[in-house]
Amino acid sequence: MGLTAVVAALGITATLTGCGSLGSSDEVTLRVVAADYGDNPGNSSTSYWNNLAKTFEDENPGIKVDVSVYSWEDVDAEVAAMDKAGQAPDIAQIGAYADYAADDKLYSADELLSVATQADFLRPLSEAGQVRRVQYGMPFVASTRLLFYNTELFDEAGIKSPPTTWDELQRAARKLRSVAKYPFALPLGNEEAQAETMMWLLSGGGGYTDLDDAYTIDSPENIKTLTWLKNDLVGEDLTGPVAPGKLNRQEAFDAFSRGEVGMLNGHPTLMKQAEAKGVKFAMVPMPGAQGNEQAAVGVADWIMAFKNNGHRVEAGKFLDFVYAEQNVTKFTSQYGLLPVTTSGSRAMAETPGNDELKKFLQALPTSRLYPVGKKSWAKVSENVKLRIGKAVTPNGSPESVLTQISQEAEAAESAE
C-alpha cells in the first residue's frame, strides 16, 4: 500500500466542527511542558520548542511562551506533581491525558482549535483522544513498532533470514550470543516499558485490553507471554548484560547504534539514529508466538491544555500554530516520527527519501494503541514501568506481577 493510500485509509476527509474564539487578550505567559525526543544534548527538543515559541511570540504580540522540556523518564511525573500542587501548566505534551479529562481539568479540543486544525487530525488518532466522545487529547506525533535486526551480525552468526515466530527468534538469539553483546535487547526499564510490554502481549495473542476496551492485564495469554520471556529469553541469557528491568529504551537504542545489539523492537527514531552511526540493519514485523501476524503497537503522544489558568484563547492560538504543516513536518522530520495530521502526511508522501518511513505509516491503520481514553491508563502505565521488569527476573512471578497491576488498574478505573 502506498503512503497516499494509507493516508486515505486513515480517514483524512473527516470533518469536525467547533472552535474556540480567538479574540484579543491582555498580555499573558503560557507555561508549556514538553517531552524530550532527542538522544543527546545536541538534538534535544528544547531547541525546537524555543524556536517555535519565539516565532509565535513575534507573530502574536502580547503572548509569551515559556517552555520546559523534560526527559520521557520524568515528564509525566513532573506534570502530575505540578497538577497536584495546583500549578498545572497551560499546555502539556506527555504520554496520557484521560485522567485529567476525567477530573474536568482540560479544555476540549473544540474549545481550543480552529475547525481546520481539528479536522486535520488523522481520524484514528483523533478518536483515540476522546473521552465519552469528546476530544481532550490532541495527538502530537505517532509511531508504530517493528523488529530491527543488525544484518552484519546476522551474517556473522550465519542467520539466513529474520525470525517470524518466537522459536525462530530464540534460535537466532542463541546464534547471536557469540557475536553480539545483546542478542536481543529487552528494555523493560521505566522509560518506556509499557510499549515493549504491549508489543510482546500482542504478539502472544493478548494485550492490555480486549476489543471492548476492558482490562485483560492478567489474562492467561499475557501470563504465558511473560513466562516465555522469563524462561526462554531472559533465562537463557539472551538479553545481554543489563537486566531488562534496568535497561531503558534509549540505552538499548544507543547500544544498537554502536553495533552491539542483534535484535530489538524499535520505532522510526531508531532508524534515523542507527543510519547516522553507519549501522547496517533491516526491519520486519514483530514475530508472533506461532508466526500468525498480530497487530502492531501504535503509539501517539498527546498534547492537552489545562483550564486552571484560564488561558483558553491564548492556548488555542498557540496550538493552531503548533499544528501548522511546516511545524509538524519540521518536528517529525527531525526525529523520524510520523505526522498526526493529513497535511503532514501528505507532505511526507511528497518528500523524496521516505521509503523506509512508509513501512511504519503502513502499519498505523491496523495498529493497536494504548487504552489512552481510560482515566486509569496513566496509573497503569506507571505501574507497568515500575514493576514489569521484576516479572522476568530469576525469582520473579509473571502471574503475581500481572495480577497486582490488574487489581490496581481496576481500582483506579472504578475510583471516583
Side-chain angles (χ1 to χ4, degrees):
M1 181 186 293
L3 183 56
T4 302
V6 172
V7 171
L10 287 167
I12 63 174
T13 58
T15 300
L16 305 176
T17 60
C19 66
S21 62
L22 299 177
S24 62
S25 66
D26 296 332
E27 181 169 300
V28 300
T29 297
L30 293 175
R31 294 174 56 239
V32 179
V33 172
D36 195 348
Y37 289 78
D39 60 352
N40 62 72
N43 69 350
S44 169
S45 301
T46 301
S47 296
Y48 171 84
W49 284 105
N50 286 345
N51 291 334
L52 189 75
K54 184 174 188 313
T55 304
F56 175 80
E57 290 171 350
D58 291 344
E59 297 178 8
N60 295 272
I63 306 176
K64 300 297 182 183
V65 181
D66 179 15
V67 184
S68 299
V69 176
Y70 296 91
S71 72
W72 269 113
E73 194 170 349
D74 300 323
V75 66
D76 286 6
E78 289 285 346
V79 172
M82 293 175 190
D83 174 61
K84 186 175 181 180
Q87 299 176 347
D90 295 288
I91 295 170
Q93 184 267 299
I94 55 176
Y97 66 86
D99 51 338
Y100 299 114
D103 291 337
D104 196 30
K105 294 181 177 182
L106 304 180
Y107 291 116
S108 64
D110 62 3
E111 292 177 300
L112 296 160
L113 303 175
S114 68
V115 173
T117 298
Q118 197 174 357
D120 200 24
F121 291 132
L122 298 173
R123 183 181 294 171
L125 302 178
S126 177
E127 292 176 349
Q130 296 178 4
V131 174
R132 295 183 294 274
R133 299 185 182 278
V134 177
Q135 185 179 1
Y136 296 95
M138 292 158 279
F140 178 59
V141 290
S143 66
T144 52
R145 302 295 198 261
L146 295 172
L147 178 72
F148 285 66
Y149 63 98
N150 184 311
T151 55
E152 291 183 335
L153 291 178
F154 262 51
D155 289 343
E156 191 176 346
I159 303 169
K160 303 300 183 184
S161 59
T164 60
T165 68
W166 287 2
D167 285 345
E168 291 177 3
L169 186 148
Q170 183 192 50
R171 288 196 293 271
R174 286 171 177 165
K175 293 181 178 180
L176 287 163
R177 188 161 43 194
S178 63
V179 298
K181 186 174 182 180
Y182 297 84
F184 188 100
L186 184 67
L188 296 179
N190 64 357
E191 181 183 1
E192 207 190 29
Q194 81 282 5
E196 183 73 23
T197 300
M198 186 171 174
M199 282 180 265
W200 283 100
L201 299 185
L202 290 177
S203 71
Y208 291 126
T209 58
D210 59 22
L211 295 179
D212 295 321
D213 207 32
Y215 280 125
T216 55
I217 295 170
D218 58 349
S219 69
E221 293 84 3
N222 291 346
I223 293 170
K224 185 176 181 180
T225 292
L226 287 188
T227 300
W228 186 88
L229 281 177
K230 174 190 173 183
N231 295 336
D232 295 79
L233 211 59
V234 182
E236 288 207 15
D237 194 27
L238 300 176
T239 54
V242 180
K246 297 185 180 299
L247 182 66
N248 279 330
R249 176 195 63 184
Q250 191 56 56
E251 294 166 345
F253 282 13
D254 291 345
F256 187 85
S257 299
R258 293 192 299 267
E260 299 173 354
V261 176
M263 298 176 284
L264 84 169
N265 294 312
H267 55 61
T269 299
L270 176 59
M271 182 180 67
K272 196 156 190 168
Q273 182 179 339
E275 286 174 344
K277 298 292 186 179
V279 173
K280 304 298 183 185
F281 64 91
M283 303 171 296
V284 293
M286 171 74 178
Q290 304 300 326
N292 299 322
E293 186 173 344
Q294 304 293 331
V297 171
V299 176
D301 300 327
W302 302 94
I303 288 183
M304 64 210 71
F306 285 85
K307 293 179 177 180
N308 56 300
N309 294 320
H311 295 155
R312 177 181 66 84
V313 172
E314 297 81 7
K317 284 184 178 180
F318 182 63
L319 289 170
D320 277 335
F321 185 72
V322 167
Y323 285 110
E325 178 187 323
Q326 69 272 20
N327 295 327
V328 169
T329 54
K330 181 178 180 181
F331 190 89
T332 55
S333 296
Q334 181 176 349
Y335 294 106
L337 294 166
L338 304 181
V340 298
T341 60
T342 298
S343 57
S345 297
R346 284 176 173 160
M348 177 183 283
E350 295 167 359
T351 302
N354 281 328
D355 290 345
E356 292 302 310
L357 272 175
K358 292 178 187 178
K359 295 179 181 179
F360 292 93
L361 190 60
Q362 287 164 357
L364 193 56
T366 58
S367 65
R368 290 274 299 275
L369 277 71
Y370 302 139
V372 290
K374 299 174 80 67
K375 66 181 182 179
S376 56
W377 171 245
K379 174 67 174 177
V380 173
S381 177
E382 190 64 24
N383 281 342
V384 172
K385 291 179 183 180
L386 291 173
R387 295 175 179 164
I388 204 70
K390 298 175 183 176
V392 298
T393 60
N395 297 320
S397 169
E399 183 171 3
S400 295
V401 170
L402 290 174
T403 297
Q404 184 176 11
I405 295 172
S406 178
Q407 291 173 345
E408 294 185 8
E410 297 295 346
E413 187 65 15
S414 60
E416 294 294 333

